[in-house]
Amino acid sequence: MKRIITFGTFDLFHVGHANLFERAAAMGDTLIVGVSTDDLNADKKGRTPIYSFADRVKIISSLRYVDLCFAEESLEKKSEYLRHYQADILVMGDDWKGRFDHLKDICDVVYLERTPSVSTTEIIEVITSK
Ligand code: CTP
């Protein structure tokens, strides 16, 4: 049984997120998703997510690719989360390429190509410019 883990905010859920989950789920048997809390996102990206943490978790939990969601409260706790959930592979989009290589002593680390031309930031920009 291979356990896959990934992390992110997944605000304004879009097709890039769905593609990432689909490909990550296909790499193993169980897909576990660490969803950034609202506070972590404010630290990480300098803005509070449009959708609350509770709503983002509800959306992500409802996906057939996803088996389990938990709150990612700190970027520094990645190794703790990997061990706690007994992850075999950490999967991230390639905008994070190289950033988690230090975790390779705990599990495999794979960066998947991002879906082109879609991001939460861009969706916010398009909507606010209308
Ligand atoms: N992701 C992806 N393809 C996209 C957008 C995101 O594969 N087009 C992946 C990211 O690489 C990451 C995960 O989805 O592994 C969560 O990304 P997140 O930061 O929540 O989404 P973004 O759309 O990149 O958000 P933002 O624009 O706020 O940075």
Side-chain angles (χ1 to χ4, degrees), residues 4 15 19 29-34 36 48-49 53 62 64 69 72 74 86 90 94 97 99-100 107 116 127-128:
I4 314 298
V15 71
N19 287 337
D29 304 288
T30 303
L31 178 60
I32 301 156
V33 181
S36 301
T48 303
F53 172 76
S62 72
R64 66 187 152 96
C69 276
E72 182 194 22
S74 161
Q86 299 180 315
L90 167 62
D94 62 5
K97 198 163 187 149
R99 303 266 297 272
F100 298 114
C107 67
I127 293 170
T128 53

Short mmCIF file of all heavy atoms in Angstrom, two decimals, residues 4 15 19 29-34 36 48-49 53 62 64 69 72 74 86 90 94 97 99-100 107 116 127-128:
data_model
loop_
_atom_site.label_atom_id
_atom_site.label_comp_id
_atom_site.label_asym_id
_atom_site.label_seq_id
_atom_site.Cartn_x
_atom_site.Cartn_y
_atom_site.Cartn_z
N ILE A 4 0.57 8.48 -0.66
CA ILE A 4 1.03 9.70 -1.32
C ILE A 4 0.56 10.88 -0.49
O ILE A 4 -0.58 10.88 0.01
CB ILE A 4 0.42 9.83 -2.74
CG1 ILE A 4 0.50 8.52 -3.51
CG2 ILE A 4 1.06 10.99 -3.50
CD1 ILE A 4 1.87 8.00 -3.76
N VAL A 15 -8.77 23.70 -12.19
CA VAL A 15 -8.39 22.45 -12.90
C VAL A 15 -6.94 22.05 -12.64
O VAL A 15 -6.61 20.86 -12.65
CB VAL A 15 -8.70 22.57 -14.41
CG1 VAL A 15 -7.74 23.54 -15.11
CG2 VAL A 15 -8.69 21.21 -15.09
N ASN A 19 -5.97 18.34 -11.62
CA ASN A 19 -4.96 17.54 -12.37
C ASN A 19 -3.87 17.03 -11.44
O ASN A 19 -3.41 15.89 -11.57
CB ASN A 19 -4.33 18.39 -13.48
CG ASN A 19 -5.29 18.62 -14.64
OD1 ASN A 19 -6.23 17.87 -14.84
ND2 ASN A 19 -5.05 19.68 -15.40
N ASP A 29 -1.91 4.27 -3.52
CA ASP A 29 -3.21 3.73 -3.11
C ASP A 29 -4.01 4.72 -2.27
O ASP A 29 -5.24 4.66 -2.23
CB ASP A 29 -2.99 2.46 -2.27
CG ASP A 29 -2.17 1.44 -3.03
OD1 ASP A 29 -2.72 0.85 -3.97
OD2 ASP A 29 -0.98 1.28 -2.71
N THR A 30 -3.30 5.57 -1.55
CA THR A 30 -3.98 6.52 -0.65
C THR A 30 -3.40 7.91 -0.88
O THR A 30 -2.18 8.07 -0.90
CB THR A 30 -3.72 6.12 0.82
OG1 THR A 30 -4.17 4.78 1.01
CG2 THR A 30 -4.45 7.02 1.79
N LEU A 31 -4.28 8.89 -1.07
CA LEU A 31 -3.82 10.28 -1.24
C LEU A 31 -4.23 11.11 -0.02
O LEU A 31 -5.42 11.22 0.30
CB LEU A 31 -4.38 10.91 -2.51
CG LEU A 31 -3.98 12.39 -2.73
CD1 LEU A 31 -2.47 12.55 -2.82
CD2 LEU A 31 -4.65 12.95 -3.98
N ILE A 32 -3.22 11.66 0.63
CA ILE A 32 -3.41 12.47 1.83
C ILE A 32 -3.04 13.91 1.48
O ILE A 32 -2.00 14.15 0.86
CB ILE A 32 -2.50 11.95 2.96
CG1 ILE A 32 -2.83 10.48 3.26
CG2 ILE A 32 -2.60 12.81 4.21
CD1 ILE A 32 -1.70 9.71 3.90
N VAL A 33 -3.90 14.86 1.87
CA VAL A 33 -3.67 16.26 1.48
C VAL A 33 -3.56 17.14 2.73
O VAL A 33 -4.49 17.21 3.54
CB VAL A 33 -4.82 16.79 0.58
CG1 VAL A 33 -4.55 18.24 0.17
CG2 VAL A 33 -4.98 15.91 -0.65
N GLY A 34 -2.42 17.81 2.86
CA GLY A 34 -2.23 18.81 3.91
C GLY A 34 -2.71 20.15 3.37
O GLY A 34 -2.14 20.68 2.43
N SER A 36 -3.28 24.05 3.73
CA SER A 36 -2.74 25.17 4.51
C SER A 36 -3.85 25.90 5.26
O SER A 36 -4.90 26.20 4.66
CB SER A 36 -2.07 26.20 3.59
OG SER A 36 -1.04 25.61 2.85
N THR A 48 -5.11 36.50 2.85
CA THR A 48 -6.02 35.51 3.43
C THR A 48 -6.76 34.85 2.27
O THR A 48 -7.18 35.55 1.35
CB THR A 48 -7.03 36.22 4.37
OG1 THR A 48 -6.27 36.93 5.34
CG2 THR A 48 -7.94 35.24 5.05
N PRO A 49 -6.90 33.54 2.28
CA PRO A 49 -7.61 32.89 1.17
C PRO A 49 -9.04 33.43 1.00
O PRO A 49 -9.66 33.88 1.97
CB PRO A 49 -7.64 31.42 1.58
CG PRO A 49 -6.51 31.27 2.54
CD PRO A 49 -6.42 32.57 3.27
N PHE A 53 -10.64 28.07 5.42
CA PHE A 53 -10.02 26.75 5.59
C PHE A 53 -11.11 25.66 5.61
O PHE A 53 -10.98 24.64 4.92
CB PHE A 53 -9.21 26.72 6.89
CG PHE A 53 -8.70 25.36 7.24
CD1 PHE A 53 -7.62 24.82 6.56
CD2 PHE A 53 -9.32 24.60 8.22
CE1 PHE A 53 -7.16 23.54 6.85
CE2 PHE A 53 -8.87 23.33 8.53
CZ PHE A 53 -7.78 22.80 7.84
N SER A 62 -14.29 16.18 -0.66
CA SER A 62 -15.37 15.61 -1.48
C SER A 62 -14.86 15.01 -2.79
O SER A 62 -15.64 14.42 -3.54
CB SER A 62 -16.43 16.68 -1.77
OG SER A 62 -15.91 17.62 -2.70
N ARG A 64 -13.01 12.48 -5.38
CA ARG A 64 -12.77 11.03 -5.36
C ARG A 64 -11.30 10.67 -5.31
O ARG A 64 -10.94 9.56 -4.94
CB ARG A 64 -13.47 10.34 -6.51
CG ARG A 64 -12.97 10.67 -7.88
CD ARG A 64 -13.89 10.04 -8.92
NE ARG A 64 -13.89 10.79 -10.16
CZ ARG A 64 -13.12 10.49 -11.20
NH1 ARG A 64 -12.30 9.47 -11.14
NH2 ARG A 64 -13.19 11.22 -12.28
N CYS A 69 -7.78 14.50 4.52
CA CYS A 69 -7.27 15.88 4.58
C CYS A 69 -6.87 16.20 6.01
O CYS A 69 -7.54 15.74 6.94
CB CYS A 69 -8.39 16.88 4.28
SG CYS A 69 -8.68 17.15 2.58
N GLU A 72 -2.46 21.82 7.53
CA GLU A 72 -1.02 22.11 7.52
C GLU A 72 -0.86 23.48 8.20
O GLU A 72 -1.23 24.51 7.63
CB GLU A 72 -0.46 22.16 6.10
CG GLU A 72 1.03 22.41 6.11
CD GLU A 72 1.62 22.81 4.75
OE1 GLU A 72 0.88 23.30 3.89
OE2 GLU A 72 2.84 22.66 4.60
N SER A 74 2.13 24.71 9.58
CA SER A 74 3.44 25.35 9.45
C SER A 74 4.26 24.66 8.38
O SER A 74 4.26 23.42 8.29
CB SER A 74 4.16 25.24 10.80
OG SER A 74 5.54 25.44 10.62
N GLN A 86 3.03 8.53 7.55
CA GLN A 86 3.80 7.43 6.95
C GLN A 86 3.79 7.50 5.42
O GLN A 86 3.48 6.53 4.73
CB GLN A 86 3.24 6.09 7.44
CG GLN A 86 3.35 5.96 8.96
CD GLN A 86 2.80 4.65 9.46
OE1 GLN A 86 1.74 4.20 9.05
NE2 GLN A 86 3.52 4.02 10.37
N LEU A 90 6.16 12.20 -1.42
CA LEU A 90 5.67 13.58 -1.35
C LEU A 90 5.58 14.10 -2.78
O LEU A 90 6.57 14.06 -3.53
CB LEU A 90 6.64 14.45 -0.54
CG LEU A 90 6.43 15.97 -0.64
CD1 LEU A 90 5.06 16.39 -0.12
CD2 LEU A 90 7.53 16.70 0.13
N ASP A 94 5.75 21.62 -9.85
CA ASP A 94 7.17 21.95 -10.06
C ASP A 94 7.52 23.42 -9.82
O ASP A 94 8.68 23.81 -10.00
CB ASP A 94 7.67 21.45 -11.42
CG ASP A 94 6.95 22.09 -12.59
OD1 ASP A 94 6.11 22.98 -12.39
OD2 ASP A 94 7.23 21.66 -13.73
N LYS A 97 10.00 23.00 -7.21
CA LYS A 97 11.12 22.11 -7.56
C LYS A 97 12.37 22.38 -6.70
O LYS A 97 12.82 23.53 -6.61
CB LYS A 97 11.48 22.26 -9.03
CG LYS A 97 12.29 21.12 -9.53
CD LYS A 97 12.30 21.04 -11.04
CE LYS A 97 13.00 19.74 -11.36
NZ LYS A 97 12.59 19.12 -12.53
N ARG A 99 12.71 22.47 -3.58
CA ARG A 99 12.48 23.06 -2.26
C ARG A 99 12.29 22.01 -1.16
O ARG A 99 12.44 22.32 0.02
CB ARG A 99 11.25 23.98 -2.29
CG ARG A 99 11.35 25.09 -3.33
CD ARG A 99 11.90 26.37 -2.73
NE ARG A 99 11.04 26.91 -1.70
CZ ARG A 99 10.02 27.73 -1.93
NH1 ARG A 99 9.71 28.07 -3.16
NH2 ARG A 99 9.31 28.21 -0.93
N PHE A 100 11.95 20.78 -1.56
CA PHE A 100 11.72 19.75 -0.54
C PHE A 100 12.69 18.57 -0.67
O PHE A 100 12.46 17.51 -0.09
CB PHE A 100 10.26 19.27 -0.60
CG PHE A 100 9.28 20.37 -0.30
CD1 PHE A 100 8.42 20.83 -1.27
CD2 PHE A 100 9.27 20.98 0.94
CE1 PHE A 100 7.55 21.87 -1.01
CE2 PHE A 100 8.40 22.02 1.21
CZ PHE A 100 7.54 22.46 0.24
N CYS A 107 11.09 10.16 2.63
CA CYS A 107 10.28 9.51 1.59
C CYS A 107 10.74 10.01 0.23
O CYS A 107 11.55 10.94 0.15
CB CYS A 107 8.79 9.79 1.80
SG CYS A 107 8.33 11.51 1.54
N PRO A 116 -0.46 24.35 -17.21
CA PRO A 116 -0.18 25.72 -17.65
C PRO A 116 -1.40 26.64 -17.60
O PRO A 116 -2.54 26.18 -17.68
CB PRO A 116 0.27 25.53 -19.12
CG PRO A 116 0.03 24.13 -19.47
CD PRO A 116 -0.34 23.35 -18.27
N ILE A 127 -10.90 38.30 -12.06
CA ILE A 127 -12.19 38.69 -11.48
C ILE A 127 -12.15 40.15 -11.01
O ILE A 127 -13.09 40.90 -11.26
CB ILE A 127 -12.58 37.75 -10.32
CG1 ILE A 127 -12.86 36.35 -10.87
CG2 ILE A 127 -13.80 38.28 -9.56
CD1 ILE A 127 -13.01 35.27 -9.83
N THR A 128 -11.07 40.53 -10.36
CA THR A 128 -11.02 41.91 -9.81
C THR A 128 -10.86 42.96 -10.91
O THR A 128 -11.18 44.13 -10.68
CB THR A 128 -9.91 42.07 -8.75
OG1 THR A 128 -8.68 41.62 -9.33
CG2 THR A 128 -10.19 41.31 -7.50
#
